[in-house]
Amino acid sequence: MLYSENELKKRLKAGCAVYYFYAGDEALVRAAAAKAEKALAAQDPETTVLEGPTPSVEEIVLAAGTISFFGGKRLVLMPLVRPSAYSDKDLQEFCDTLADTENAVFILTSVMEEKYGKLRPGKREQKLIAACEKLGYCAQIAKPNRAALQTMAREWAEECGARFAPGAEAMLLDRCGEDQFLLRSEIDKLAALADYATITPQMIEQLGTVTLEADTFDMVKLVAAGRTRQALEKLNTLLALQNDPILITGALIANYLDVYRAFLAKKSRRPLADLAKDFGYSGKWNYRLGNAEQAAARYDRRRIERSLQVLQALDLDLKGSRLPADLLLQKAVCELGLQTAGKSA
């Protein structure tokens, strides 16, 4: 069953004993669990937290069987449970305990593997899902699309007492990506910067926080445009902010792979949607691959392949050379600049 706030309210009113939320994103399950917990906390229950990922069966049995001091049901929170880490025997006892409990209400969450934009629960995960579906409210939380994220961003800003100027929330998404923890954190900072009034595009630029993926793609665009000096300035900023050189290199490799794939797709006249499906891109793939396609227009195949070879050598050097990491990165960016069509540096 897909998550629905209306359905959650119905189940809370009916008095379910088990609430299980699972998704591919931790922020999604935390938010849903917090709503259930807030509603149940209105009854002022005693609360037990069994920290994940694998509370022992003994801990679960004890929490389920302990009568609350005030006579009501105990609220048992099990965040980020990992069913696959249990043995078949322990998982069966876990499910039996949930079925037999009379003195507790459970709220469980799990983050599960995602492939090609869809959850792929394993055998044990499916077993816990099936058990919870019989006992209470068990819901998969789908990732919000871009429009939903923009709505959430506006709502979070309003909660802070601020609001976005037209189009500013879309700009923030472009810079932050789809990480909801990062998005919420940036909105809190922007609201303060705006003195809890209007958050403008200029403020978003001023704050300057973006994902490493977005920062390194800015470098790729600068290199592709023959603006190697500006790319080096961007690199130095990332290093000054103490980003790990190996992570910077990994993000650069991922971006150049996007460029290479977009280049090949255009040569073979394949739409970007097919490319996204073939390589498992999710979320805002059209924005990501659209940018990669624009950068690819400045290259031929040999130059892109040579750029990837430069980055592969950089990765090996960072892990084995005694030379300073910043020097190795700067050298690689200069070599990347020589691979653009204009060979401008």
Side-chain angles (χ1 to χ4, degrees):
M1 176 186 295
L2 286 175
Y3 174 79
S4 157
E5 284 205 23
N6 287 335
E7 186 63 27
L8 174 60
K9 290 175 183 176
K10 288 180 185 177
R11 299 301 183 97
L12 287 165
K13 189 175 181 179
C16 285
V18 176
Y19 299 85
Y20 184 28
F21 306 105
Y22 60 97
D25 186 323
E26 182 178 335
L28 295 176
V29 294
R30 283 190 181 277
K35 288 175 182 176
E37 182 183 352
K38 183 178 180 181
L40 292 167
Q43 302 168 23
D44 198 25
E46 287 188 64
T47 301
T48 297
V49 181
L50 302 180
E51 295 292 351
T54 52
S56 69
V57 173
E58 290 76 14
E59 289 177 296
I60 299 169
V61 170
L62 181 62
T66 302
I67 298 175
S68 171
F69 181 78
F70 298 104
K73 289 189 176 183
R74 178 176 296 275
L75 180 58
V76 181
L77 308 179
M78 295 183 65
L80 306 181
V81 172
R82 194 182 305 154
S84 59
Y86 286 95
S87 67
D88 288 339
K89 178 177 178 295
D90 284 350
L91 185 60
Q92 183 60 56
E93 289 186 28
F94 182 175
C95 294
D96 291 343
T97 302
L98 293 177
D100 293 339
T101 184
E102 295 181 356
N103 300 317
V105 176
F106 281 82
I107 300 177
L108 305 89
T109 61
S110 291
V111 176
M112 299 183 185
E113 183 182 3
E114 218 174 25
K115 277 190 177 181
Y116 305 113
K118 293 185 179 180
L119 288 187
R120 294 288 187 264
K123 181 180 176 182
R124 292 189 179 97
E125 291 165 333
Q126 291 177 27
K127 182 178 181 67
L128 183 58
I129 289 169
C132 291
E133 284 177 340
K134 293 178 182 178
L135 301 171
Y137 184 46
C138 179
Q140 173 185 337
I141 308 175
K143 275 189 176 180
N145 59 24
R146 186 175 175 83
L149 279 171
Q150 287 182 230
T151 300
M152 291 165 65
R154 290 192 292 268
E155 290 173 351
W156 288 337
E158 288 172 5
E159 288 175 13
C160 295
R163 61 188 177 277
F164 281 101
E169 71 275 22
M171 180 180 178
L172 182 62
L173 277 176
D174 289 343
R175 296 171 69 83
C176 285
E178 298 173 5
D179 185 324
Q180 292 182 56
F181 284 130
L182 176 60
L183 187 61
R184 186 72 185 254
S185 174
E186 293 307 297
I187 289 171
D188 289 343
K189 288 188 281 186
L190 285 163
L193 181 65
D195 196 22
Y196 304 97
T198 302
I199 299 170
T200 66
Q202 292 76 19
M203 291 174 183
I204 295 170
E205 288 182 353
Q206 179 183 342
L207 200 61
T209 300
V210 293
T211 62
L212 188 57
E213 177 187 89
D215 271 317
T216 51
F217 192 76
D218 285 345
M219 290 171 59
V220 173
K221 289 192 290 185
L222 289 168
V223 169
R227 297 163 62 188
T228 308
R229 181 172 298 175
Q230 290 94 326
L232 285 168
E233 290 172 359
K234 185 77 172 178
L235 170 64
N236 290 334
T237 300
L238 292 178
L239 292 170
L241 292 170
Q242 299 185 336
N243 286 284
D244 188 312
I246 291 178
L247 294 181
I248 293 174
T249 303
L252 279 170
I253 291 172
N255 282 315
Y256 268 95
L257 282 173
D258 288 344
V259 172
Y260 190 37
R261 289 165 179 167
F263 175 85
L264 294 177
K266 188 170 184 179
K267 285 293 181 183
S268 60
R269 297 184 180 179
R270 297 196 67 202
L272 291 182
D274 287 353
L275 178 62
K277 184 177 180 181
D278 289 345
F279 289 96
Y281 289 90
S282 59
K284 52 173 187 172
W285 62 262
N286 52 341
Y287 175 80
R288 177 176 171 181
L289 291 179
N291 278 338
E293 186 178 47
Q294 291 178 23
R298 295 180 175 268
Y299 289 92
D300 57 33
R301 180 169 181 165
R302 184 182 64 81
R303 293 183 187 278
I304 302 177
E305 291 175 349
R306 175 58 188 150
S307 296
L308 286 167
Q309 290 168 5
V310 168
L311 291 169
Q312 183 182 30
L314 170 62
D315 186 56
L316 293 173
D317 286 343
L318 286 171
K319 295 170 183 175
S321 174
R322 294 183 180 179
L323 291 173
D326 57 348
L327 181 61
L328 291 170
L329 273 162
Q330 289 164 1
K331 175 175 174 289
V333 170
C334 290
E335 291 178 357
L336 291 171
L338 296 175
Q339 305 311 316
T340 56
K343 294 193 286 186
S344 299

